[in-house]
Amino acid sequence: MSENLVLRKRELTEIKKKFNWKENNLNGKIKSVTTIKHNLTRQKDNNIYALFEKEYDAFDIRGNIIESSAFDSCGQRIVLLIPSFNSKDYLTNYKYFDDNGELISECFFKYQENGNVLEHWDNGTTSIEYHLQKNEIEHLNFDIDNNLIWKEIYKYDTKGNLIEFCNDLGKTIYIVNTLGDTLEEIKYDSENNISEKKKFKYKIDKHKNWVKKKEFIIKNNIEIPKAIFEREITYY
């Protein structure tokens, strides 16, 4: 496998790790979600939000995601994710396809008796360990020779909302509202210095799902607009 494909696989696994309504913080019986992200560009002192990317997620009536696609700024599909579930709605495997429909990568899941999960890739394994007393999930990533490559820790509040992410490069703190939507995101480097701070503002529909999200970068206590996300949600 080429180095570019390996890097692309790593990027994809970081982007898409949510496979049902609950993990995506969605309320109601949702059929599909189309998300368009407009990045902020500046021209002659005017703010213009240009199309940056689009994502499409489709769900079955049980709440499991059955298709996830990402598109570039020209509307060309760049990746397609197809997951599979067993009769208990446990994720068994998922496949990534490129814009030509060629298989990029496939991951298989193995559920252990202690509740932990193993993700098997063609270039290594990820061990997902659940520490329920501490509301933590630990990801240990190994290469094909079983050498540890990197470790990630996800920390949650009592409602299941992600509030902290840690790895060797630093950590990210998330401040959420009562709906579980992220209000602030604060990134720290490995020396615990703040490297980036973001804020988010939402417009909510009658089902308490956001349909518009504004992203701001905070510099010198000033909110600088960065992007706008718009979602079209269809329901069963």
Side-chain angles (χ1 to χ4, degrees):
M1 180 176 291
S2 70
E3 182 179 357
N4 288 337
L5 277 182
V6 171
L7 292 174
R8 182 60 178 155
K9 279 176 54 178
R10 174 69 190 278
E11 178 187 1
L12 291 172
T13 57
E14 291 175 344
I15 290 174
K16 183 58 67 177
K17 282 289 186 182
K18 302 178 179 180
F19 294 96
N20 56 48
W21 292 333
K22 183 177 180 181
E23 291 174 351
N24 282 277
N25 195 34
L26 293 169
N27 301 301
K29 295 184 179 297
I30 290 175
K31 188 174 184 179
S32 67
V33 178
T34 302
T35 305
I36 298 178
K37 178 183 179 182
H38 304 268
N39 261 10
L40 178 63
T41 59
R42 299 180 182 275
Q43 294 182 0
K44 297 181 179 180
D45 299 325
N46 293 320
N47 294 332
I48 299 176
Y49 289 92
L51 176 63
F52 179 69
E53 62 185 21
K54 182 175 77 170
E55 292 184 0
Y56 172 79
D57 297 325
F59 300 85
D60 63 21
I61 191 63
R62 299 162 66 91
N64 297 317
I65 197 165
I66 55 176
E67 176 187 336
S68 184
S69 302
F71 302 83
D72 62 20
S73 59
C74 296
Q76 177 70 33
R77 192 184 73 189
I78 55 177
V79 67
L80 170 66
L81 167 68
I82 301 292
S84 298
F85 300 84
N86 63 19
S87 60
K88 296 182 179 179
D89 291 331
Y90 287 3
L91 183 66
T92 57
N93 73 295
Y94 57 85
K95 299 178 180 180
Y96 283 111
F97 300 88
D98 64 17
D99 57 335
N100 294 316
E102 297 291 331
L103 182 66
I104 301 174
S105 185
E106 185 172 9
C107 177
F108 294 91
F109 289 74
K110 181 180 180 181
Y111 296 87
Q112 301 175 306
E113 291 184 1
N114 60 6
N116 294 332
V117 182
L118 291 177
E119 294 182 358
H120 292 283
W121 295 87
D122 52 8
N123 67 334
T125 301
T126 298
S127 174
I128 303 175
E129 301 180 1
Y130 295 84
H131 307 293
L132 300 182
Q133 292 182 342
K134 296 190 291 184
N135 286 330
E136 290 183 1
I137 299 177
E138 185 176 48
H139 287 209
L140 301 173
N141 301 274
F142 301 89
D143 61 19
I144 57 176
D145 296 318
N146 208 34
N147 298 309
L148 181 64
I149 304 174
W150 74 88
K151 180 173 72 172
E152 302 167 338
I153 297 177
Y154 300 79
K155 298 182 180 181
Y156 299 83
D157 64 17
T158 56
K159 295 182 179 180
N161 299 311
L162 179 65
I163 56 174
E164 185 175 333
F165 165 77
C166 306
N167 61 16
D168 293 338
L169 301 177
K171 67 179 181 181
T172 303
I173 301 295
Y174 303 92
I175 299 173
V176 300
N177 60 19
T178 56
L179 298 177
D181 300 318
T182 301
L183 296 178
E184 292 188 36
E185 180 182 307
I186 307 170
K187 292 185 178 181
Y188 296 82
D189 61 22
S190 57
E191 297 180 352
N192 209 34
N193 299 310
I194 294 178
S195 59
E196 186 178 62
K197 186 174 181 180
K198 297 180 181 179
K199 279 191 176 182
F200 303 91
K201 298 179 180 179
Y202 300 90
K203 179 182 178 182
I204 308 298
D205 69 8
K206 64 180 181 180
H207 300 278
K208 296 185 178 180
N209 295 310
W210 69 261
V211 292
K212 190 173 186 177
K213 177 173 70 172
K214 294 183 179 181
E215 177 183 337
F216 302 85
I217 297 292
I218 308 302
K219 292 185 178 180
N220 300 320
N221 294 321
I222 298 175
E223 296 182 358
I224 303 173
K226 181 182 180 181
I228 288 181
F229 300 78
E230 295 179 307
R231 290 204 304 196
E232 180 182 344
I233 303 176
T234 62
Y235 294 85
Y236 282 104

